[in-house]
Amino acid sequence: MTTDQYQDVATILERIRAALEANDLAGVSSTLADSSTEPLVDALERLSPRDRAIAFRLLPKHRAVRVFEDFSPSLRADLVQALQDADVAAIFADLEPDDRAWLLDELPASLAPRLLRGLPEQERRLTSAVLGYPQGSIGRRMSPEYVSTRTDHTAEEALERVTSRLADAETVYTLPVLDGGRRVVGVVGLRDLLGASPHTAVADLMSEAQTAVAEDDDEVAARRCADQGLLALPIVDSESRLVGILTIDDAVRILEQEESEDAARQGGAEPLRRPYLSTPILSIVRSRVVWLLVLAVGATLTVRVLSVFEATLEQVTVLALFVPLLIGTGGNTGNQAATTVTRALALNDVRRRDILRIVSRELRVGLTLGMLLGSAGLAIAGLLYDVRIGLVIGLTLLAVCTMAATVGGAMPVVARALGVDPAVFSNPFITTFVDASGLVVYFLIARAVLQI
Amino acid sequence: MTTDQYQDVATILERIRAALEANDLAGVSSTLADSSTEPLVDALERLSPRDRAIAFRLLPKHRAVRVFEDFSPSLRADLVQALQDADVAAIFADLEPDDRAWLLDELPASLAPRLLRGLPEQERRLTSAVLGYPQGSIGRRMSPEYVSTRTDHTAEEALERVTSRLADAETVYTLPVLDGGRRVVGVVGLRDLLGASPHTAVADLMSEAQTAVAEDDDEVAARRCADQGLLALPIVDSESRLVGILTIDDAVRILEQEESEDAARQGGAEPLRRPYLSTPILSIVRSRVVWLLVLAVGATLTVRVLSVFEATLEQVTVLALFVPLLIGTGGNTGNQAATTVTRALALNDVRRRDILRIVSRELRVGLTLGMLLGSAGLAIAGLLYDVRIGLVIGLTLLAVCTMAATVGGAMPVVARALGVDPAVFSNPFITTFVDASGLVVYFLIARAVLQI
């Protein structure tokens, strides 16, 4: 039965703040003790760094480690710098090797050797193994504390290995099966071992193994684990020898972090390293201003295009009225195509070699959309202004939709081929491209139709 | 050892297509047998519905069920309709109850009773339990085949329950712990049971249980499971009594589907129900045209605003040149804010009651961005045109950035309060709002500064 009195972030936050203001440390302690872990983590993340460090030190040790693991990586680093060495060493020793590597990535380099020195020999060895892989690789995120078994083991022998490692292994529910050369040749679930008669060979129980190589991109490996619904993915070296294991909870954590970064970049901002409400205003400004400037510089292209056609504009001012509508519709059409193809790429529904099929599909989609919107534009602008204006608007919509869908569909594949994240690169590029080229098309059509 | 010869989607696809064209069913069979499951599923998804049904029927039954489970939901429905009743009944009987419910959601209503009638009594009961919950609830996605234990059990008794249910339970690695009234009061991991001495009470081994109510939104429950890194989340009724279990692989599947839908809607399109390359062109057009029309109708607001200021435009045509740049920058600023806050909402970093803090932060962020971009605009337009035009551009950028960031930050919270998906609602709304109101501000400033 859970005896936690406080489930609500705001209540917890209020009580901690009130107690801290009154210098009532016992009050802080009792609020901490009476709070569920999940809202407590949220509440602590919203405190000022100093208050957070004070509250954190009042947590009993086993709980402190749990809470610490739930903090976002950069808050962990902040906290470590605010705590005293002895506290840090105690927490550090209790973390898993992969969490340690993650934390060290966030800390100033000078702190790392000191922390590592404080670890027991065995733990230091495991942590160093993880730290040996490049940042951004799955080797950095895997756990080196796996339980494996061998093809020539029996179910009984495999179960004994499980029992001997219950205390420290990252997972005991999925066991990589190795051959004589420590190469992964399959996996066996604890469930299958429990269900088998004791003398069954592991080789007869195991199933096909999905694996990832330690140097692989962490997002790719995490997605493989999650997509296949695997509880754990064995991580191997270039010769298929087992070096670690990625559990699904860590895979989900990696994917969630990547998605936050992608979401931010798709919105045209750098990802924040802290929860929104505890990020300083100037950090938020910094995360956005570069992209805004880049896009604004891109948009000066539209100013130049319009300058070229300034004489036309002076003659027929009514053309200016439709500029936002036309480039907006082009941008929307392009973004639709880019978003669809980006997602299809992420899910492996399409690959790079499909580019011609994508372009041909988007060309047809764009043409169809252009005919529908173009007819509507022709009718409405024709009625409200005159037939020739209607014709200009209709033809421009047809051209812009076709162009935008085709470019929008191709762009994510081109981005991937260039080694750039399609989610980040495609939409801003399309908007800039469609805005500028759409205006050129618009005025060329206008000049031709209106004969100016 | 995996003996799969073909790992590559394109190779598998080519071989299957060649064999089908030559009416060489044995050739299809042997390609299927020699292919890894993951690329095979991708390859089958790209076949035409008829070819897919033929190839599928050549799979041995145990493999067919595995492949079937990996298909996207709507492809499963297509396939079922292409297969013969006896084949379908066999596959249907082998699915898990939650997968059956998912499939039935996708099939024509007339098929459901026929399929259910074909099931053994016990399976029909389990499937009906899942079907009793509303669509979109976690009750519909959970598995009713759980193993639970009781507070008054010993570790040994709990392990016996696990052993007796190895064959059919959805998971045996996380056991909900129940009190006398079948209420969930904790969870215990198989790992803890294995590590405990046989007579330890389960009550002493269990830990705090996170749960979800069966009527809860499936995405909310899935995110709770994934965020907490739980292997399984007990699902309870309104009185905390256990009714099912959600495993993390199903949680990940739910989140992935939701993310695809969100990504599509953020890009301004309805989600596709099939993989991109197997979706007919007209279905793609249909998924996009409504949004495009809605946004275009919204954009006619800009035409009206500009009409109001047509006289000003005729006097100072140069004002028209900056229209795309100004509304583009406003849209970008608004989208940045909306994306950041939408993500923070999804991660529970902010809640509805934080709206005033969000608005006050975005106001300051927008002002700062506006001053930076406004100064740049003042300088550049001032140099290229004249000081008064520079002043108009600079002031407009300041006003538009401030307004866009504030509205952009508030919008996702308002959307959530209205019960609309913030990811879908915010960006189109902001673009329309910023475009129209930004133009009004622009021309009012221009009139004031240029005294026209």
Side-chain angles (χ1 to χ4, degrees), chain B residues 387-431:
Chain B
V387 179
R388 290 190 312 161
I389 296 289
L391 200 58
V392 172
I393 303 302
L395 287 175
T396 305
L397 281 172
L398 174 61
V400 165
C401 286
T402 308
M403 196 170 66
T406 313
V407 174
M411 222 50 246
V413 189
V414 172
R416 164 121 353 150
L418 296 174
V420 197
D421 186 341
V424 180
F425 179 69
S426 304
N427 294 22
F429 177 88
I430 288 160
T431 308

Side-chain angles (χ1 to χ4, degrees), chain A residues 1-2 4 8-10 36 38 42 46 66 165-173 185 189-191 194-195 206 208 210 223 226-229 231 248-249 252 256 259-260 263-264 267-269 272 275-277 279 281 284-285 288-289 291-293 295-296 299-300 302-303 306-307 310 313-314 317-318 320-325 327 329 332-333 335-337 339-341 343-344 347-351 353-354 357-358 361-362 364-365 368-369 372-373 385 439, chain B residues 1-2 4 8-10 36 38 42 45-46 66 166-173 185 189-191 194-195 206 208 210 223 226-229 231 248-249 252 256 259-260 263-264 267-269 272 275-277 279 281 284-285 288-289 291-293 295-296 299-300 302-303 306-307 310 313-314 317-318 320-325 327 329 332-333 335-337 339-341 343-344 347-351 353-354 357-358 361-362 364-365 368-369 372-373 385 439:
Chain A
M1 174 87 78
T2 161
D4 301 327
D8 179 73
V9 181
S36 293
E38 191 188 2
D42 284 357
R46 292 171 182 221
R66 174 72 212 284
R165 298 291 304 284
L166 286 171
D168 65 335
E170 175 80 10
T171 179
V172 296
Y173 299 141
V185 292
L190 178 55
R191 182 171 180 156
L194 287 173
M206 72 186 192
E208 188 186 325
Q210 302 277 338
R223 193 164 287 285
D227 278 0
Q228 302 285 306
L231 292 183
I248 184 142
D249 51 317
V252 166
E256 215 161 66
E259 273 150 22
S260 284
L272 301 179
Y276 177 72
L277 289 179
T279 307
I281 298 287
I284 299 184
V285 170
R288 298 185 189 171
V289 72
W291 266 106
L292 272 188
L293 281 172
L295 293 173
T300 57
T302 60
V303 180
L306 287 170
S307 308
E310 201 173 345
L313 264 178
E314 263 172 35
T317 316
V318 71
L321 310 190
F322 297 95
V323 165
L325 173 74
I327 63 179
T329 303
N332 291 333
T333 312
N335 281 340
Q336 287 181 330
T339 307
T340 310
V341 174
R343 184 70 191 168
L347 295 177
N348 287 321
D349 280 351
V350 301
R351 281 141 219 263
R353 69 176 68 159
D354 293 317
R357 295 184 64 195
I358 295 169
R361 305 190 114 231
E362 289 300 333
R364 283 177 285 161
V365 171
T368 316
L369 289 170
L372 293 170
L373 289 172
Y385 296 87
L439 287 173
Chain B
M1 174 89 75
T2 162
D4 302 325
D8 179 74
V9 180
S36 295
E38 190 188 2
D42 284 357
E45 292 200 335
R46 294 172 180 219
R66 175 71 213 284
L166 285 171
D168 64 333
E170 175 81 10
T171 179
V172 296
Y173 299 141
V185 292
L190 178 55
R191 182 171 180 156
L194 287 173
M206 73 185 191
E208 188 186 324
Q210 301 278 337
R223 191 163 289 284
D227 278 2
Q228 302 284 306
L231 292 182
I248 185 150
D249 51 317
V252 166
E256 214 161 68
E259 272 150 24
S260 284
L272 301 179
Y276 176 73
L277 289 178
T279 308
I281 298 287
I284 299 184
V285 170
R288 298 184 190 171
V289 71
W291 267 105
L292 272 189
L293 282 172
L295 294 173
T300 57
T302 60
V303 180
L306 286 170
S307 309
E310 203 173 342
L313 263 179
E314 263 172 35
T317 316
V318 71
L321 310 190
F322 296 96
V323 164
L325 173 74
I327 64 180
T329 303
N332 291 332
T333 311
N335 282 339
Q336 287 182 331
T339 306
T340 309
V341 174
R343 184 70 192 168
L347 294 178
N348 287 322
D349 280 351
V350 300
R351 281 140 218 262
R353 71 175 69 161
D354 294 317
R357 294 184 65 194
I358 295 170
R361 304 190 113 230
E362 289 299 333
R364 283 178 285 161
V365 171
T368 316
L369 289 171
L372 293 170
L373 289 172
Y385 296 87
L439 287 173

Side-chain angles (χ1 to χ4, degrees), chain A residues 159-310:
Chain A
L159 280 173
E160 273 163 26
R161 292 181 73 131
V162 166
T163 317
S164 72
R165 298 291 304 284
L166 286 171
D168 65 335
E170 175 80 10
T171 179
V172 296
Y173 299 141
T174 302
L175 280 66
V177 182
L178 309 181
D179 67 7
R182 295 197 52 74
R183 280 183 298 269
V184 176
V185 292
V187 289
V188 64
L190 178 55
R191 182 171 180 156
D192 299 315
L193 293 175
L194 287 173
S197 71
H199 299 294
T200 316
V202 165
D204 295 333
L205 295 170
M206 72 186 192
S207 57
E208 188 186 325
Q210 302 277 338
T211 59
V213 177
E215 278 82 12
D216 282 353
D217 183 81
D218 54 2
E219 185 180 1
V220 172
R223 193 164 287 285
R224 183 169 310 153
C225 179
D227 278 0
Q228 302 285 306
L230 305 172
L231 292 183
L233 184 73
I235 309 296
V236 297
D237 65 14
S238 55
E239 272 132 50
S240 293
R241 288 180 304 229
L242 186 65
V243 293
I245 200 148
L246 174 71
T247 49
I248 184 142
D249 51 317
D250 286 334
V252 166
R253 204 156 62 146
I254 292 168
L255 291 176
E256 215 161 66
Q257 204 192 5
E258 291 288 340
E259 273 150 22
S260 284
E261 290 176 8
D262 284 359
R265 294 215 173 93
Q266 268 175 312
E270 282 304 297
L272 301 179
R273 305 182 66 240
R274 287 172 179 68
Y276 177 72
L277 289 179
S278 44
T279 307
I281 298 287
L282 279 183
S283 305
I284 299 184
V285 170
R286 214 176 308 129
S287 76
R288 298 185 189 171
V289 72
V290 176
W291 266 106
L292 272 188
L293 281 172
V294 169
L295 293 173
V297 167
T300 57
L301 202 58
T302 60
V303 180
R304 296 190 46 127
V305 169
L306 287 170
S307 308
V308 172
F309 294 102
E310 201 173 345

Side-chain angles (χ1 to χ4, degrees), chain A residues 22-40:
Chain A
N23 278 319
D24 172 16
L25 294 188
V28 177
S29 271
S30 77
T31 305
L32 297 173
D34 289 345
S35 304
S36 293
T37 302
E38 191 188 2
L40 177 59

Side-chain angles (χ1 to χ4, degrees), chain B residues 115-433:
Chain B
L115 281 174
L116 280 173
R117 263 200 310 279
L119 288 178
E121 169 64 23
Q122 157 78 352
E123 292 293 321
R124 190 163 65 234
R125 213 174 40 72
L126 288 172
T127 307
S128 301
V130 173
L131 283 171
Y133 295 100
Q135 282 200 24
S137 73
I138 195 61
R140 201 65 173 246
R141 294 284 170 267
M142 71 184 190
S143 169
E145 297 186 282
Y146 50 77
V147 194
S148 62
T149 177
R150 290 209 317 259
T151 40
D152 56 353
H153 280 166
T154 61
E156 191 174 24
E157 287 168 317
L159 279 173
E160 272 164 27
R161 291 181 75 130
V162 166
T163 317
S164 72
R165 297 291 305 283
L166 285 171
D168 64 333
E170 175 81 10
T171 179
V172 296
Y173 299 141
T174 301
L175 281 67
V177 181
L178 310 181
D179 67 7
R182 292 197 54 73
R183 281 182 297 269
V184 176
V185 292
V187 289
V188 64
L190 178 55
R191 182 171 180 156
D192 297 315
L193 293 175
L194 287 173
S197 70
H199 298 295
T200 317
V202 164
D204 297 332
L205 295 169
M206 73 185 191
S207 57
E208 188 186 324
Q210 301 278 337
T211 60
V213 176
E215 279 81 11
D216 282 352
D217 182 80
D218 55 1
E219 186 182 358
V220 172
R223 191 163 289 284
R224 184 171 308 154
C225 180
D227 278 2
Q228 302 284 306
L230 305 172
L231 292 182
L233 184 73
I235 308 296
V236 298
D237 66 12
S238 54
E239 273 133 47
S240 294
R241 287 179 305 229
L242 187 65
V243 293
I245 199 148
L246 173 71
T247 50
I248 185 150
D249 51 317
D250 286 334
V252 166
R253 204 156 62 145
I254 292 168
L255 290 176
E256 214 161 68
Q257 203 192 5
E258 291 287 341
E259 272 150 24
S260 284
E261 291 177 7
D262 284 358
R265 296 214 172 95
Q266 266 173 317
E270 282 303 297
L272 301 179
R273 303 182 66 240
R274 288 171 179 68
Y276 176 73
L277 289 178
S278 42
T279 308
I281 298 287
L282 279 182
S283 304
I284 299 184
V285 170
R286 213 173 312 127
S287 75
R288 298 184 190 171
V289 71
V290 177
W291 267 105
L292 272 189
L293 282 172
V294 169
L295 294 173
V297 168
T300 57
L301 202 58
T302 60
V303 180
R304 295 189 49 126
V305 169
L306 286 170
S307 309
V308 172
F309 294 102
E310 203 173 342
T312 313
L313 263 179
E314 263 172 35
Q315 270 184 275
V316 196
T317 316
V318 71
L319 288 178
L321 310 190
F322 296 96
V323 164
L325 173 74
L326 292 174
I327 64 180
T329 303
N332 291 332
T333 311
N335 282 339
Q336 287 182 331
T339 306
T340 309
V341 174
T342 298
R343 184 70 192 168
L345 274 173
L347 294 178
N348 287 322
D349 280 351
V350 300
R351 281 140 218 262
R352 268 162 56 182
R353 71 175 69 161
D354 294 317
I355 184 149
L356 288 182
R357 294 184 65 194
I358 295 170
V359 166
S360 117
R361 304 190 113 230
E362 289 299 333
L363 186 70
R364 283 178 285 161
V365 171
L367 262 174
T368 316
L369 289 171
M371 284 191 285
L372 293 170
L373 289 172
S375 314
L378 169 65
I380 296 171
L383 285 174
L384 293 181
Y385 296 87
D386 73 52
V387 179
R388 290 190 312 161
I389 296 289
L391 200 58
V392 172
I393 303 302
L395 287 175
T396 305
L397 281 172
L398 174 61
V400 165
C401 286
T402 308
M403 196 170 66
T406 313
V407 174
M411 222 50 246
V413 189
V414 172
R416 164 121 353 150
L418 296 174
V420 197
D421 186 341
V424 180
F425 179 69
S426 304
N427 294 22
F429 177 88
I430 288 160
T431 308
T432 309
F433 171 82

